[in-house]
Amino acid sequence: TQSTWVSEQQKIELREAFDLFDVEGSGTIDVREIKVALRALGFEPKKHELRKMISFYDKDNVGKFDFNQFLALMTDKMTEKDTREDILLAYKLFEDQDEHCITLDKLKSIANELGEMMTEEELKEMIDQASSENDGKVDEKDFLKI
């Protein structure tokens, strides 16, 4: 299960956060509290993301989350955040420091360092597919969409 993707310490912290919102001690929290809980844990979900998450985890449409539902949602969000951070770290490795984007020259240099035998045309095609502005450059926003 996804809950195995978080450490025991993180599970304890998530339990503590859940208990803060379970003021009545009922073992559930109202879905309206999910946004506040997410924000308290460092997430800023958009309204449509929040609705999507709630409908996904509150399949019975009860309007309440038990701890297991809360844990599953938070595990997904934490995994998503880690993935985004990993992607941004990868971007920084490819980024041309002067241009603040990935250029064809930088991609060629990295491909050579890694021993990748790709033609300039293949590399240019990669840049063109990823570039939202068709300017031969891939910025951070483009890279996150890949």
Side-chain angles (χ1 to χ4, degrees):
T1 64
Q2 290 175 330
S3 60
T4 58
W5 294 346
V6 293
S7 70
E8 284 305 312
Q9 182 59 40
Q10 289 170 315
K11 284 181 190 176
I12 291 168
E13 290 169 6
L14 289 170
R15 173 50 92 174
E16 289 171 357
F18 180 85
D19 290 345
L20 283 174
F21 292 100
D22 181 16
V23 287
E24 296 154 10
S26 65
T28 61
I29 59 174
D30 193 281
V31 293
R32 292 177 296 226
E33 299 292 339
I34 295 298
K35 181 178 182 179
V36 179
L38 284 163
R39 284 208 168 137
L41 294 166
F43 300 102
E44 294 291 331
K46 306 260 187 291
K47 281 184 181 179
H48 71 277
E49 291 174 315
L50 192 61
R51 281 193 298 270
K52 194 172 168 182
M53 281 186 276
I54 289 170
S55 67
F56 182 79
Y57 291 99
D58 184 22
K59 291 185 185 344
D60 302 332
N61 205 19
V62 177
K64 301 248 183 227
F65 274 44
D66 64 21
F67 179 68
N68 288 332
Q69 290 167 303
F70 180 78
L71 180 61
L73 182 145
M74 291 303 174
T75 299
D76 280 352
K77 290 304 290 175
M78 291 166 73
T79 303
E80 182 181 294
K81 187 175 185 178
D82 289 345
T83 303
R84 179 179 163 78
E85 289 171 6
D86 291 342
I87 291 169
L88 289 175
L89 283 172
Y91 173 78
K92 294 295 181 196
L93 295 173
F94 286 89
E95 179 184 38
D96 182 307
Q97 298 302 313
D98 297 328
E99 302 262 350
H100 300 290
C101 61
I102 299 170
T103 61
L104 180 59
D105 286 341
K106 184 68 174 183
L107 193 57
K108 275 195 288 190
S109 169
I110 291 169
N112 286 336
E113 284 177 40
L114 296 174
E116 291 292 327
M117 299 299 157
M118 298 180 80
T119 66
E120 184 168 330
E121 190 57 40
E122 289 171 318
L123 295 170
K124 184 176 179 340
E125 189 176 315
M126 288 172 65
I127 295 277
D128 290 344
Q129 285 180 357
S131 176
S132 63
E133 297 185 23
N134 296 320
D135 58 1
K137 299 175 182 177
V138 177
D139 62 21
E140 188 175 288
K141 192 170 58 177
D142 294 334
F143 197 79
L144 283 167
K145 289 180 185 174
I146 297 174

